[in-house]
Amino acid sequence: METFGLLMEGFAGALTPMNLFWVVLGCLLGTAVGVMPGLGSSMAVALLLPMTFALEPTAAFIMFAGVYFGGLFGDSTMAILMNTPGQASAIASTFEGHRMAQDGRAAQALATAALGAFIGGMVASVCVVLLAPVLAEFSTRFGPAEYFALALFAFVATSSVVADSVLRGLASLVLGLGIAVVGIDAVTGTERFTMGSPQLFDGIPLVTVTVAILALGEVFHVASRVRRKHEDLRIRRTGRPWLSRAEFREAAPAWLRGTAIGLPFGIVPVGGSEVPTFLAYSAERRLDRRRANPQFGRGAIRGLAAPEAAGNSTTGMAMGALLTLGLPVSATAAIMLAAFRQYGLQPGPLLFDRSPDLVWALLASFFIAMIVLLAINLPFAQLWAKLLLIPKHYLYAGITLFCGLGIYATTGAVFDLLMLLGIGVLGFLMRRYGYPLAPLMIGMVLGPLAETSLRDALLSSVGDPAVLVSTPITWVIYGILAIMLAFSVRAAVVRRTRQDV
């Protein structure tokens, strides 16, 4: 009851006209920035950070929360319509969401994403309010061995499930890991795969790879096929901007499963919502393969619903981890941690005692932001879908322009534009020859975490590899992985047997 009373006081503070204005403004800004290729909520918060010195802390953080959640909505919009996610957390939504758009179901795909984000965000907000202490204690049990097991689980699951060919999936994963290790080794200071170029000493930025592989590669792919008369490259649209009862029933279990997958990742520092979105997509695809009529690869609504719910549930829990532990588990949370320090505040358990008005108003604003974003995105799903009416030569020229502007705004270096072009050609070749993109992206995202965790675990055990399987959490992770691999092998054998017959 005490928690409920504090939350009601937070709503009283957050629902003042001025604070409500900052929530709405943050949601609009986050959504607007999210639809720009190469930008995202972290970029928006970073750009707005110097502008908030004149605001009092509660107003500033309420606006930041709106930007944080709004950025995810905007990322998903462009991922679905243009196959161009604003940041890595929306990559998994492109696989089935963009196929839905190509099949004339753009408005339904956007509605699915909006509802999934709303459900995931609302459940996460409730969990932050009620279960933050318990979940924070659970996150402290993760050490280097657990992080490595988690990364390995994501590698194997993504490579074997997303790809029709396991060998091609593994090849794509190795390519992503290779990109991730370019730069200066943080432990030894040794140059790795830089070819003596100073511009590569800091590595290849994830945002450059994401935009090049998914956006620019798609532009090249479309351009290469535009003169093929037997290919219908137009993205059709339908007039129905809502989900039918059958579509809602189909998506509902995936929303719930995605939310459940995303919640724990909000308190485990694995880089944000990229990992749970991939795992949610992989779980739905694995379930789809057990059906008599598999839908994945043809615009499966569950393949979009689960990642959207997972991404927003992770984001909501990440804010809880930041407030209760002072632990930033994503780039945006790290920037918000800097914003807290800008105001002389230190997130953690003491923040709830020293600044209860700020904390509970911020927690209340999570619920408000979810409602505002649903009100912004759901009714306008059909309006967003009209972006597809833009002639293709203008549309993809604009995407190319925004790709370049987004990368140049991030780094300010011409070299990164050349790197964008080179990796974009790689993305085109992968599409041309049927190599999956998801394993490359997950290798790029989790490669540094896996490497660092493996090194730390072996250093702590003086080189004894048994440390990697020395805790109950690692046993559970590897056990689930073994079961998944067994089912994959069995499914492959069954398919081969049916083909032979």
Side-chain angles (χ1 to χ4, degrees):
M1 290 301 294
E2 181 183 359
T3 299
F4 181 77
L6 292 170
L7 183 61
M8 289 300 101
E9 292 178 8
F11 272 109
L15 288 173
T16 61
M18 204 62 206
N19 284 340
L20 191 58
F21 167 77
W22 292 120
V23 172
V24 175
L25 180 63
C27 292
L28 290 172
L29 288 174
T31 304
V33 174
V35 300
M36 300 294 181
L39 304 181
S41 56
S42 58
M43 170 79 65
V45 173
L47 292 174
L48 290 170
L49 184 58
M51 302 170 58
T52 57
F53 285 111
L55 296 178
E56 56 99 11
T58 301
F61 289 111
I62 283 177
M63 183 175 70
F64 284 153
V67 171
Y68 199 174
F69 288 110
L72 295 177
F73 275 78
D75 293 338
S76 300
T77 297
M78 291 306 288
I80 292 167
L81 297 182
M82 312 299 180
N83 201 30
T84 309
Q87 55 186 11
S89 59
I91 294 171
S93 298
T94 63
F95 302 133
E96 299 300 322
H98 187 59
R99 288 187 180 274
M100 289 181 67
Q102 289 178 314
D103 195 37
R105 296 185 290 157
Q108 293 95 306
L110 292 173
T112 301
L115 287 169
F118 174 78
I119 292 170
M122 289 295 282
V123 172
S125 298
V126 172
C127 290
V128 168
V129 172
L130 300 178
L131 304 176
V134 177
L135 294 175
E137 181 182 355
F138 172 72
S139 71
T140 61
R141 300 179 184 178
F142 273 70
E146 287 78 10
Y147 292 140
F148 177 75
L150 195 62
L152 186 62
F153 179 89
F155 291 155
V156 177
T158 305
S159 301
S160 62
V161 173
V162 173
D164 293 328
S165 167
V166 175
L167 290 178
R168 288 185 176 183
L170 289 174
S172 179
L173 173 67
V174 170
L175 186 58
L177 292 173
I179 295 174
V181 298
V182 172
I184 299 293
D185 182 8
V187 176
T188 64
T190 305
E191 295 179 26
R192 301 189 298 186
F193 307 106
T194 63
M195 296 174 287
S197 174
Q199 290 89 348
L200 292 176
F201 286 175
D202 290 332
I204 300 176
L206 175 61
V207 65
T208 302
V209 177
T210 301
V211 173
I213 290 290
L214 296 173
L216 202 57
E218 178 72 9
V219 171
F220 291 156
H221 180 67
V222 170
S224 71
R225 306 170 74 88
V226 74
R227 293 187 181 275
R228 299 189 181 186
K229 294 183 180 180
H230 64 280
E231 294 277 357
D232 183 11
L233 296 177
R234 293 175 298 171
I235 298 177
R236 302 178 300 277
R237 69 183 185 94
T238 57
R240 179 162 58 86
W242 61 84
L243 298 179
S244 66
R245 185 174 299 178
E247 288 170 333
F248 191 90
R249 285 199 304 266
E250 179 79 2
W255 284 327
L256 298 178
R257 285 190 292 264
T259 299
I261 291 172
L263 286 174
F265 285 90
I267 55 173
V268 178
V270 293
S273 54
E274 294 89 346
V275 178
T277 54
F278 277 112
L279 291 180
Y281 174 83
S282 298
E284 293 302 321
R285 177 155 183 156
R286 185 169 293 278
L287 291 172
D288 182 71
R289 286 184 171 179
R290 304 164 87 180
R291 293 188 167 197
N293 183 26
Q295 296 296 317
F296 271 58
R298 295 183 289 171
I301 194 170
R302 289 175 292 110
L304 172 64
E308 286 298 316
N312 273 263
S313 65
T314 300
T315 298
M317 289 303 297
M319 292 298 296
L322 177 65
L323 292 173
T324 58
L325 288 178
L327 179 67
V329 298
S330 67
T332 310
I335 297 172
M336 291 190 69
L337 177 60
F340 272 105
R341 292 174 178 171
Q342 167 186 299
Y343 285 98
L345 300 170
Q346 178 58 48
L350 293 179
L351 184 66
F352 285 76
D353 295 329
R354 295 174 178 174
S355 304
D357 294 341
L358 167 64
V359 171
W360 289 103
L362 180 57
L363 291 175
S365 73
F366 294 172
F367 295 92
I368 299 171
M370 288 295 104
I371 296 172
V372 169
L373 285 166
L374 189 66
I376 292 174
N377 287 274
L378 192 57
F380 294 104
Q382 192 173 19
L383 181 63
W384 282 115
K386 288 185 178 180
L387 289 173
L388 303 177
L389 299 178
I390 301 173
K392 269 194 174 298
H393 51 286
Y394 295 135
L395 180 60
Y396 284 97
I399 290 176
T400 304
L401 176 64
F402 279 114
C403 287
L405 288 176
I407 296 302
Y408 192 76
T410 304
T411 63
V414 176
F415 179 84
D416 281 2
L417 293 178
L418 298 175
M419 189 159 53
L420 174 73
L421 178 61
I423 300 175
V425 172
L426 174 64
F428 162 68
L429 293 175
M430 292 181 68
R431 284 174 171 82
R432 170 63 65 87
Y433 295 106
Y435 284 83
L437 305 179
L440 184 149
M441 299 309 305
I442 200 67
M444 178 72 182
V445 170
L446 282 185
L449 174 71
E451 181 187 15
T452 302
S453 299
L454 178 61
R455 281 180 162 180
D456 290 346
L458 293 177
L459 285 173
S460 66
S461 64
V462 198
D464 182 7
V467 71
L468 300 176
V469 290
S470 60
T471 65
I473 295 178
T474 59
W475 300 342
V476 171
I477 294 174
Y478 288 128
I480 296 173
L481 180 59
I483 294 172
M484 287 180 59
L485 289 176
F487 275 107
S488 296
V489 172
R490 179 181 177 277
V493 171
V494 170
R495 284 199 304 269
R496 180 67 59 86
T497 303
R498 289 176 178 175
Q499 290 174 357
D500 293 340
V501 173

